[in-house]
Amino acid sequence: QKQLEKKSPDRSKIIFLLGSISDQYYLESVLSKFEIDKVYHAAAYKHVHLVEENIISGFRNNVLGTMNLVESIQRSSVEELVLISSDKAVHPKSVMGVTKRLAEMIVLNSAQKESDKTFSLVRFGNVMRSSGSVIPKFRKQIKERSPITLTHPDMSRYFMTIEEAAELVIQAGAMS
């Protein structure tokens, strides 16, 4: 909020709200109050170990919250939804990955059914300097001279900056 306030010469165009994707009444009231054209859905729990330890909360937020948002958008004047998903949704091996894959399926199902709205998704992982990035863990392991955690010795990891991730999200919305 502070970064946007500092950079925005016209503060009246920025409105800061705090709510839960699990609260459908809240979602619908926000969507009806403001003239929103496009929603970027990033309101998901994405830390694997936290969702593993809090399965019901992870499912409620990531899956049911996405369903609430999609249903709210279908009843609103919003034209487009872009779901920001995770590489963990590809052949998921964790509860978090499964919840993200189910969220994707909800959005993709809506894309097939809905005619006057656009539903799309973009999927990536390993964003440097983001919360949940593996890089601080690697740095700590290197500093302590301990083995680096690898999923598989033959695995390759690809990283992108926050700026590249944001550009990818905007491009995905434009391409859909």
PDB file of all heavy atoms in Angstrom, residues 93-114:
ATOM      1  N   LYS A  93       1.573 -33.663  -5.757  1.00  0.00           N
ATOM      2  CA  LYS A  93       2.017 -34.659  -4.787  1.00  0.00           C
ATOM      3  C   LYS A  93       1.827 -34.158  -3.363  1.00  0.00           C
ATOM      4  O   LYS A  93       2.266 -34.789  -2.420  1.00  0.00           O
ATOM      5  CB  LYS A  93       3.488 -35.001  -5.037  1.00  0.00           C
ATOM      6  CG  LYS A  93       3.709 -35.708  -6.363  1.00  0.00           C
ATOM      7  CD  LYS A  93       5.191 -35.902  -6.656  1.00  0.00           C
ATOM      8  CE  LYS A  93       5.457 -36.636  -7.931  1.00  0.00           C
ATOM      9  NZ  LYS A  93       4.715 -36.233  -9.082  1.00  0.00           N
ATOM     10  N   SER A  94       1.199 -33.010  -3.209  1.00  0.00           N
ATOM     11  CA  SER A  94       0.947 -32.439  -1.886  1.00  0.00           C
ATOM     12  C   SER A  94      -0.500 -31.958  -1.844  1.00  0.00           C
ATOM     13  O   SER A  94      -1.134 -31.749  -2.887  1.00  0.00           O
ATOM     14  CB  SER A  94       1.882 -31.255  -1.628  1.00  0.00           C
ATOM     15  OG  SER A  94       1.572 -30.189  -2.509  1.00  0.00           O
ATOM     16  N   VAL A  95      -0.999 -31.758  -0.650  1.00  0.00           N
ATOM     17  CA  VAL A  95      -2.365 -31.237  -0.492  1.00  0.00           C
ATOM     18  C   VAL A  95      -2.457 -29.857  -1.138  1.00  0.00           C
ATOM     19  O   VAL A  95      -3.421 -29.547  -1.826  1.00  0.00           O
ATOM     20  CB  VAL A  95      -2.765 -31.172   1.000  1.00  0.00           C
ATOM     21  CG1 VAL A  95      -4.108 -30.500   1.180  1.00  0.00           C
ATOM     22  CG2 VAL A  95      -2.785 -32.573   1.600  1.00  0.00           C
ATOM     23  N   MET A  96      -1.426 -29.026  -0.951  1.00  0.00           N
ATOM     24  CA  MET A  96      -1.449 -27.697  -1.553  1.00  0.00           C
ATOM     25  C   MET A  96      -1.543 -27.804  -3.067  1.00  0.00           C
ATOM     26  O   MET A  96      -2.333 -27.113  -3.700  1.00  0.00           O
ATOM     27  CB  MET A  96      -0.200 -26.904  -1.141  1.00  0.00           C
ATOM     28  CG  MET A  96      -0.292 -25.409  -1.434  1.00  0.00           C
ATOM     29  SD  MET A  96       0.000 -24.913  -3.149  1.00  0.00           S
ATOM     30  CE  MET A  96       1.688 -25.383  -3.356  1.00  0.00           C
ATOM     31  N   GLY A  97      -0.752 -28.695  -3.663  1.00  0.00           N
ATOM     32  CA  GLY A  97      -0.804 -28.888  -5.112  1.00  0.00           C
ATOM     33  C   GLY A  97      -2.181 -29.347  -5.576  1.00  0.00           C
ATOM     34  O   GLY A  97      -2.693 -28.886  -6.599  1.00  0.00           O
ATOM     35  N   VAL A  98      -2.788 -30.249  -4.814  1.00  0.00           N
ATOM     36  CA  VAL A  98      -4.130 -30.732  -5.159  1.00  0.00           C
ATOM     37  C   VAL A  98      -5.146 -29.597  -5.081  1.00  0.00           C
ATOM     38  O   VAL A  98      -5.982 -29.440  -5.973  1.00  0.00           O
ATOM     39  CB  VAL A  98      -4.550 -31.906  -4.240  1.00  0.00           C
ATOM     40  CG1 VAL A  98      -6.031 -32.236  -4.396  1.00  0.00           C
ATOM     41  CG2 VAL A  98      -3.706 -33.135  -4.532  1.00  0.00           C
ATOM     42  N   THR A  99      -5.048 -28.765  -4.027  1.00  0.00           N
ATOM     43  CA  THR A  99      -6.015 -27.663  -3.903  1.00  0.00           C
ATOM     44  C   THR A  99      -5.835 -26.657  -5.035  1.00  0.00           C
ATOM     45  O   THR A  99      -6.821 -26.126  -5.548  1.00  0.00           O
ATOM     46  CB  THR A  99      -5.918 -26.947  -2.538  1.00  0.00           C
ATOM     47  OG1 THR A  99      -4.644 -26.324  -2.397  1.00  0.00           O
ATOM     48  CG2 THR A  99      -6.180 -27.903  -1.388  1.00  0.00           C
ATOM     49  N   LYS A 100      -4.601 -26.414  -5.449  1.00  0.00           N
ATOM     50  CA  LYS A 100      -4.365 -25.495  -6.567  1.00  0.00           C
ATOM     51  C   LYS A 100      -4.874 -26.105  -7.871  1.00  0.00           C
ATOM     52  O   LYS A 100      -5.426 -25.412  -8.711  1.00  0.00           O
ATOM     53  CB  LYS A 100      -2.883 -25.144  -6.678  1.00  0.00           C
ATOM     54  CG  LYS A 100      -2.368 -24.299  -5.529  1.00  0.00           C
ATOM     55  CD  LYS A 100      -3.008 -22.928  -5.465  1.00  0.00           C
ATOM     56  CE  LYS A 100      -2.416 -22.036  -6.516  1.00  0.00           C
ATOM     57  NZ  LYS A 100      -2.956 -20.681  -6.492  1.00  0.00           N
ATOM     58  N   ARG A 101      -4.699 -27.411  -8.044  1.00  0.00           N
ATOM     59  CA  ARG A 101      -5.202 -28.079  -9.260  1.00  0.00           C
ATOM     60  C   ARG A 101      -6.724 -28.038  -9.296  1.00  0.00           C
ATOM     61  O   ARG A 101      -7.325 -27.800 -10.345  1.00  0.00           O
ATOM     62  CB  ARG A 101      -4.699 -29.527  -9.324  1.00  0.00           C
ATOM     63  CG  ARG A 101      -5.154 -30.267 -10.554  1.00  0.00           C
ATOM     64  CD  ARG A 101      -4.602 -29.645 -11.837  1.00  0.00           C
ATOM     65  NE  ARG A 101      -5.176 -30.303 -12.996  1.00  0.00           N
ATOM     66  CZ  ARG A 101      -5.658 -29.666 -14.057  1.00  0.00           C
ATOM     67  NH1 ARG A 101      -5.589 -28.348 -14.131  1.00  0.00           N
ATOM     68  NH2 ARG A 101      -6.182 -30.331 -15.049  1.00  0.00           N
ATOM     69  N   LEU A 102      -7.375 -28.262  -8.154  1.00  0.00           N
ATOM     70  CA  LEU A 102      -8.841 -28.175  -8.109  1.00  0.00           C
ATOM     71  C   LEU A 102      -9.310 -26.758  -8.435  1.00  0.00           C
ATOM     72  O   LEU A 102     -10.299 -26.576  -9.162  1.00  0.00           O
ATOM     73  CB  LEU A 102      -9.360 -28.619  -6.746  1.00  0.00           C
ATOM     74  CG  LEU A 102      -9.256 -30.114  -6.453  1.00  0.00           C
ATOM     75  CD1 LEU A 102      -9.561 -30.398  -4.985  1.00  0.00           C
ATOM     76  CD2 LEU A 102     -10.180 -30.914  -7.366  1.00  0.00           C
ATOM     77  N   ALA A 103      -8.590 -25.750  -7.932  1.00  0.00           N
ATOM     78  CA  ALA A 103      -8.925 -24.360  -8.262  1.00  0.00           C
ATOM     79  C   ALA A 103      -8.807 -24.139  -9.769  1.00  0.00           C
ATOM     80  O   ALA A 103      -9.674 -23.496 -10.383  1.00  0.00           O
ATOM     81  CB  ALA A 103      -8.020 -23.400  -7.498  1.00  0.00           C
ATOM     82  N   GLU A 104      -7.754 -24.680 -10.369  1.00  0.00           N
ATOM     83  CA  GLU A 104      -7.595 -24.569 -11.822  1.00  0.00           C
ATOM     84  C   GLU A 104      -8.773 -25.212 -12.553  1.00  0.00           C
ATOM     85  O   GLU A 104      -9.297 -24.659 -13.525  1.00  0.00           O
ATOM     86  CB  GLU A 104      -6.304 -25.271 -12.275  1.00  0.00           C
ATOM     87  CG  GLU A 104      -5.039 -24.550 -11.934  1.00  0.00           C
ATOM     88  CD  GLU A 104      -3.796 -25.281 -12.434  1.00  0.00           C
ATOM     89  OE1 GLU A 104      -3.915 -26.394 -13.017  1.00  0.00           O
ATOM     90  OE2 GLU A 104      -2.714 -24.725 -12.257  1.00  0.00           O
ATOM     91  N   MET A 105      -9.176 -26.378 -12.085  1.00  0.00           N
ATOM     92  CA  MET A 105     -10.279 -27.088 -12.740  1.00  0.00           C
ATOM     93  C   MET A 105     -11.581 -26.290 -12.648  1.00  0.00           C
ATOM     94  O   MET A 105     -12.372 -26.272 -13.599  1.00  0.00           O
ATOM     95  CB  MET A 105     -10.425 -28.489 -12.139  1.00  0.00           C
ATOM     96  CG  MET A 105      -9.230 -29.370 -12.474  1.00  0.00           C
ATOM     97  SD  MET A 105      -9.189 -30.912 -11.553  1.00  0.00           S
ATOM     98  CE  MET A 105     -10.513 -31.808 -12.337  1.00  0.00           C
ATOM     99  N   ILE A 106     -11.805 -25.627 -11.533  1.00  0.00           N
ATOM    100  CA  ILE A 106     -12.996 -24.779 -11.376  1.00  0.00           C
ATOM    101  C   ILE A 106     -12.967 -23.657 -12.407  1.00  0.00           C
ATOM    102  O   ILE A 106     -13.963 -23.382 -13.084  1.00  0.00           O
ATOM    103  CB  ILE A 106     -13.082 -24.215  -9.936  1.00  0.00           C
ATOM    104  CG1 ILE A 106     -13.394 -25.340  -8.949  1.00  0.00           C
ATOM    105  CG2 ILE A 106     -14.104 -23.086  -9.838  1.00  0.00           C
ATOM    106  CD1 ILE A 106     -13.139 -24.981  -7.491  1.00  0.00           C
ATOM    107  N   VAL A 107     -11.823 -23.011 -12.546  1.00  0.00           N
ATOM    108  CA  VAL A 107     -11.689 -21.904 -13.497  1.00  0.00           C
ATOM    109  C   VAL A 107     -11.801 -22.410 -14.933  1.00  0.00           C
ATOM    110  O   VAL A 107     -12.505 -21.813 -15.758  1.00  0.00           O
ATOM    111  CB  VAL A 107     -10.360 -21.144 -13.262  1.00  0.00           C
ATOM    112  CG1 VAL A 107     -10.094 -20.139 -14.370  1.00  0.00           C
ATOM    113  CG2 VAL A 107     -10.389 -20.445 -11.902  1.00  0.00           C
ATOM    114  N   LEU A 108     -11.141 -23.513 -15.243  1.00  0.00           N
ATOM    115  CA  LEU A 108     -11.208 -24.061 -16.606  1.00  0.00           C
ATOM    116  C   LEU A 108     -12.617 -24.526 -16.956  1.00  0.00           C
ATOM    117  O   LEU A 108     -13.072 -24.358 -18.097  1.00  0.00           O
ATOM    118  CB  LEU A 108     -10.205 -25.206 -16.765  1.00  0.00           C
ATOM    119  CG  LEU A 108      -8.733 -24.791 -16.720  1.00  0.00           C
ATOM    120  CD1 LEU A 108      -7.826 -26.010 -16.667  1.00  0.00           C
ATOM    121  CD2 LEU A 108      -8.380 -23.903 -17.902  1.00  0.00           C
ATOM    122  N   ASN A 109     -13.316 -25.107 -16.004  1.00  0.00           N
ATOM    123  CA  ASN A 109     -14.697 -25.512 -16.230  1.00  0.00           C
ATOM    124  C   ASN A 109     -15.564 -24.295 -16.557  1.00  0.00           C
ATOM    125  O   ASN A 109     -16.404 -24.337 -17.448  1.00  0.00           O
ATOM    126  CB  ASN A 109     -15.243 -26.246 -15.005  1.00  0.00           C
ATOM    127  CG  ASN A 109     -16.632 -26.766 -15.219  1.00  0.00           C
ATOM    128  OD1 ASN A 109     -16.908 -27.460 -16.194  1.00  0.00           O
ATOM    129  ND2 ASN A 109     -17.532 -26.436 -14.303  1.00  0.00           N
ATOM    130  N   SER A 110     -15.346 -23.200 -15.837  1.00  0.00           N
ATOM    131  CA  SER A 110     -16.098 -21.974 -16.098  1.00  0.00           C
ATOM    132  C   SER A 110     -15.749 -21.403 -17.468  1.00  0.00           C
ATOM    133  O   SER A 110     -16.604 -20.847 -18.145  1.00  0.00           O
ATOM    134  CB  SER A 110     -15.805 -20.929 -15.021  1.00  0.00           C
ATOM    135  OG  SER A 110     -16.249 -21.407 -13.776  1.00  0.00           O
ATOM    136  N   ALA A 111     -14.499 -21.551 -17.882  1.00  0.00           N
ATOM    137  CA  ALA A 111     -14.081 -21.062 -19.199  1.00  0.00           C
ATOM    138  C   ALA A 111     -14.828 -21.792 -20.309  1.00  0.00           C
ATOM    139  O   ALA A 111     -15.159 -21.207 -21.341  1.00  0.00           O
ATOM    140  CB  ALA A 111     -12.580 -21.241 -19.377  1.00  0.00           C
ATOM    141  N   GLN A 112     -15.116 -23.066 -20.087  1.00  0.00           N
ATOM    142  CA  GLN A 112     -15.826 -23.846 -21.103  1.00  0.00           C
ATOM    143  C   GLN A 112     -17.315 -23.532 -21.132  1.00  0.00           C
ATOM    144  O   GLN A 112     -17.956 -23.614 -22.163  1.00  0.00           O
ATOM    145  CB  GLN A 112     -15.614 -25.337 -20.860  1.00  0.00           C
ATOM    146  CG  GLN A 112     -14.180 -25.762 -21.080  1.00  0.00           C
ATOM    147  CD  GLN A 112     -13.917 -27.192 -20.640  1.00  0.00           C
ATOM    148  OE1 GLN A 112     -14.724 -27.807 -19.967  1.00  0.00           O
ATOM    149  NE2 GLN A 112     -12.755 -27.713 -21.013  1.00  0.00           N
ATOM    150  N   LYS A 113     -17.885 -23.161 -19.984  1.00  0.00           N
ATOM    151  CA  LYS A 113     -19.328 -22.933 -19.887  1.00  0.00           C
ATOM    152  C   LYS A 113     -19.735 -21.501 -20.187  1.00  0.00           C
ATOM    153  O   LYS A 113     -20.731 -21.255 -20.826  1.00  0.00           O
ATOM    154  CB  LYS A 113     -19.819 -23.274 -18.473  1.00  0.00           C
ATOM    155  CG  LYS A 113     -19.825 -24.730 -18.153  1.00  0.00           C
ATOM    156  CD  LYS A 113     -20.362 -24.940 -16.758  1.00  0.00           C
ATOM    157  CE  LYS A 113     -20.439 -26.414 -16.418  1.00  0.00           C
ATOM    158  NZ  LYS A 113     -20.898 -26.623 -15.051  1.00  0.00           N
ATOM    159  N   GLU A 114     -18.982 -20.570 -19.682  1.00  0.00           N
ATOM    160  CA  GLU A 114     -19.361 -19.159 -19.711  1.00  0.00           C
ATOM    161  C   GLU A 114     -19.063 -18.573 -21.085  1.00  0.00           C
ATOM    162  O   GLU A 114     -18.006 -18.800 -21.638  1.00  0.00           O
ATOM    163  CB  GLU A 114     -18.574 -18.414 -18.629  1.00  0.00           C
ATOM    164  CG  GLU A 114     -19.062 -17.044 -18.359  1.00  0.00           C
ATOM    165  CD  GLU A 114     -20.402 -17.008 -17.665  1.00  0.00           C
ATOM    166  OE1 GLU A 114     -20.691 -17.893 -16.844  1.00  0.00           O
ATOM    167  OE2 GLU A 114     -21.170 -16.086 -17.951  1.00  0.00           O
TER     168      GLU A 114
END
